[in-house]
Amino acid sequence: MPVDSNQEIPSPSSTSESIGSQTLIDRLAYLELGPDDQARLREFSPLAAGFSEPLVEAFYRHLFAFEASSKFLHDPHLVDRLKSVQKQHFLSLTEADWNDDYLERRRRVGQTHANVGIHPELFLGAYNRYVQESFRRYLGDDEGKLTPQLETMLSLLKVVFLDLGLSLEAYFNQATHAIRKALDMYWKANIELRQFAHLASHDLKTPLATVANFCDEAIDEFGGQMPDEAKALIESARQRTFRMSRMIDELLSVTTSFDLKAQLQAVSSQVAITDALDRLRPLVAEKRITVHVADNLPTVWGELVRLRESFYNVLSNAVKYAPAATGVIKIDVRPHELGYEFSIADNGPGIPPQDLETIFAPFRRSSTHRDQPGSGLGLYFAKTLIDYQEGTIRAESKLGAGSTFYFVLKAPPDATEGI
Ligand code: HEM
């Protein structure tokens, strides 16, 4: 058989609409699979169609001869369906119509096999059957016997399939090893983070309890000498320590819980926003900021503590940067294709366009905000918390004209209310 060294092979850098993406072009080029191959395969196609039936039967005899493959084929209806799919698959090899759709269909086959647990070595062994059978039917005598040279080539092919299987295994093992290592690191970090969260919560709650005790003592020992207003202030400080302590417990329980999806339920955005604003009330009052809140705040799909914290983080930014006395914050909501879009608009200094893209990244602070105290984590937390609730967050801003943060939150699955 002549060796074909003049075949025109698609160049890796050439692009062709009829072929498809660069990935495909590169693949074909590296395999030296070109127009001559295409022409030959297409010429062979009618012949292949002639023996596709017995070829598929031989293919399934092979699969049934081994426990490793036959255990996937207990259902006779499935086998019937697969035989017809197989026939088409085999013929499509000879149609040599290589485009992105072809790649996609082939990947889907791999995905289907992977989903049911069929290992690549079975797939390769089955492909070997295809090739061996095709050789014998195309080039063999009446009994499928080949010349010694062709038998040698077929033996070579079997070894190639063996090698392919072993190499693929090595690639998989390496990938799995890397994933296992990453997972190990993830679990270790997770456990450490939980331990840290518990310690931090303990460390935060202990001084709160001391403050509550001091308040109690102050009222018990000196209550008689205090004006009523002073007593009321101390009582309100004591109440705040309890609220703070409850909040730490809530935060700890939601942030260290594994099953995030199971925590999602129908929650009132009104309660979340009111609670968040409550915490900001002293600063709002001190800066004499006006806050407008829409009165039609809906029930959304989320988790109350995370929802409250996401609103709190964005609102606390708005309060921090809104100008004293003339500051205005507007909280609004409107329907959205996924549920609701909330907006929190302020008339603060705004965010420069170059900072807008990174404001949700951890420790990124807008250049207009650097003089204000802050960790650079508030908006990052807001985004993470909204992500957990399967929502989205984005910001629009104009320098000197304020910023608006938009939250999209899903409606509960059985929601009937509108706004
Ligand atoms: C040359 C090798 C093979 C080819 C070309 C091939 C081709 C296909 C194709 C085209 C499908 C349909 C995929 C879809 O559209 O979802 C399929 C499904 C399937 N194949 Fe294969 N196959 C091969 C090897 C094997 C082997 C070795 C086994 C058994 C060990 C097997 C068992 C199955 C099963 C059980 C399904 C159906 C999965 C499902 O839908 O639940 N195949 N195969």
Side-chain angles (χ1 to χ4, degrees):
M1 197 168 283
V3 175
D4 182 358
S5 56
N6 296 325
Q7 156 156 224
E8 191 191 316
I9 294 161
S11 121
S13 55
S14 72
T15 51
S16 152
E17 265 180 38
S18 62
I19 288 185
S21 68
Q22 193 60 37
T23 319
L24 175 63
I25 294 166
D26 291 346
R27 265 175 197 255
L28 296 183
Y30 200 70
L31 270 175
E32 302 181 338
L33 197 55
D36 288 355
D37 295 298
Q38 192 170 48
R40 281 193 286 263
L41 285 167
R42 286 182 176 171
E43 205 181 312
F44 170 59
S45 196
L47 240 152
F51 60 73
S52 63
E53 190 85 40
L55 184 120
V56 167
E57 288 306 324
F59 179 88
Y60 277 90
R61 270 198 305 280
H62 181 76
L63 262 52
F64 277 113
F66 295 88
E67 160 67 14
S69 40
S70 62
K71 67 177 182 198
F72 293 99
L73 304 168
H74 286 317
D75 176 0
H77 297 297
L78 173 71
V79 174
D80 278 351
R81 185 170 69 79
L82 285 180
K83 280 185 179 174
S84 115
V85 173
Q86 275 300 342
K87 222 185 320 181
Q88 279 165 18
H89 187 97
F90 173 63
L91 287 176
S92 73
L93 293 178
T94 63
E95 280 154 12
D97 220 352
W98 308 305
N99 50 33
D100 286 340
D101 188 43
Y102 180 88
L103 284 198
E104 194 43 47
R105 275 185 282 128
R106 263 30 189 187
R107 286 192 179 115
R108 231 181 9 245
V109 173
Q111 186 67 54
T112 306
H113 289 138
N115 285 346
V116 289
I118 296 166
H119 283 228
E121 74 212 49
L122 293 182
F123 188 71
L124 288 173
Y127 244 117
N128 173 56
R129 192 88 281 280
Y130 253 6
V131 178
Q132 304 280 332
E133 197 66 29
S134 303
F135 261 69
R136 290 187 195 287
R137 290 185 180 273
Y138 187 41
L139 299 172
D141 62 16
D142 289 348
E143 287 164 20
K145 283 217 167 65
L146 298 169
T147 62
Q149 290 89 337
L150 282 174
E151 290 288 1
T152 308
M153 288 300 105
L154 280 186
S155 302
L156 187 66
L157 258 175
K158 289 182 197 174
V159 186
V160 169
F161 276 120
L162 175 68
D163 268 20
L164 283 176
L166 291 170
S167 304
L168 281 179
E169 215 167 83
Y171 283 116
F172 292 139
N173 286 345
Q174 203 214 21
T176 322
H177 179 72
I179 292 170
R180 271 216 201 100
K181 231 166 108 183
L183 263 179
D184 266 5
M185 275 165 61
Y186 165 81
W187 281 114
K188 266 195 201 127
N190 196 292
I191 289 167
E192 276 167 22
L193 210 65
R194 283 154 167 270
Q195 283 169 346
F196 171 76
H198 280 280
L199 285 176
S201 110
H202 179 262
D203 286 355
L204 288 171
K205 283 172 67 181
T206 308
L208 280 178
T210 314
V211 173
N213 276 342
F214 285 159
C215 293
D216 278 345
E217 270 178 44
I219 304 254
D220 286 351
E221 290 197 23
F222 309 106
Q225 305 155 40
M226 279 182 196
D228 284 350
E229 278 157 354
K231 269 199 281 190
L233 278 177
I234 291 180
E235 177 52 27
S236 119
R238 197 175 78 99
Q239 290 302 333
R240 276 191 182 258
T241 64
F242 291 141
R243 252 176 56 191
M244 194 77 188
S245 181
R246 220 177 25 245
M247 232 167 65
I248 292 171
D249 284 340
E250 285 172 354
L251 278 173
L252 186 69
S253 101
V254 291
T255 50
T256 55
S257 159
F258 277 113
D259 197 354
L260 301 171
K261 240 184 155 62
Q263 295 172 0
L264 297 183
Q265 53 182 297
V267 285
S268 158
S269 64
Q270 161 138 37
V271 170
I273 290 174
T274 311
D275 282 1
L277 278 174
D278 240 27
R279 263 155 75 197
L280 290 164
R281 213 162 290 288
L283 189 57
V284 169
E286 186 190 313
K287 289 183 75 175
R288 285 173 290 135
I289 289 170
T290 311
V291 182
H292 296 287
V293 186
D295 55 10
N296 54 349
L297 295 174
T299 300
V300 296
W301 190 238
E303 189 284 314
L304 187 60
V305 175
R306 286 196 170 87
L307 192 61
R308 181 190 70 204
E309 294 304 311
S310 24
F311 278 118
Y312 172 80
N313 277 299
V314 171
L315 280 166
S316 87
N317 253 20
V319 173
K320 197 152 51 167
Y321 300 114
T326 54
V328 179
I329 295 172
K330 258 185 93 174
I331 304 171
D332 219 336
V333 64
R334 60 181 180 190
H336 183 275
E337 54 182 324
L338 294 176
Y340 305 100
E341 184 176 67
F342 293 78
S343 56
I344 298 180
D346 65 55
N347 61 343
I351 304 163
Q354 72 273 18
D355 292 347
L356 255 185
E357 279 175 25
T358 55
I359 48 169
F360 295 109
F363 306 113
R364 293 294 175 91
R365 307 194 59 211
S366 167
S367 46
T368 50
H369 294 168
R370 294 223 170 95
D371 54 327
Q372 292 273 358
S375 62
L377 285 172
L379 292 178
Y380 165 70
F381 282 149
K383 174 161 168 38
T384 313
L385 295 166
I386 288 289
D387 285 349
Y388 276 136
Q389 296 167 95
E390 301 171 354
T392 56
I393 183 169
R394 69 186 169 91
E396 283 177 10
S397 188
K398 224 174 171 182
L399 259 188
S403 312
T404 305
F405 284 80
Y406 295 94
F407 295 62
V408 173
L409 289 160
K410 285 185 182 172
D414 53 356
T416 48
E417 71 177 290
I419 51 174

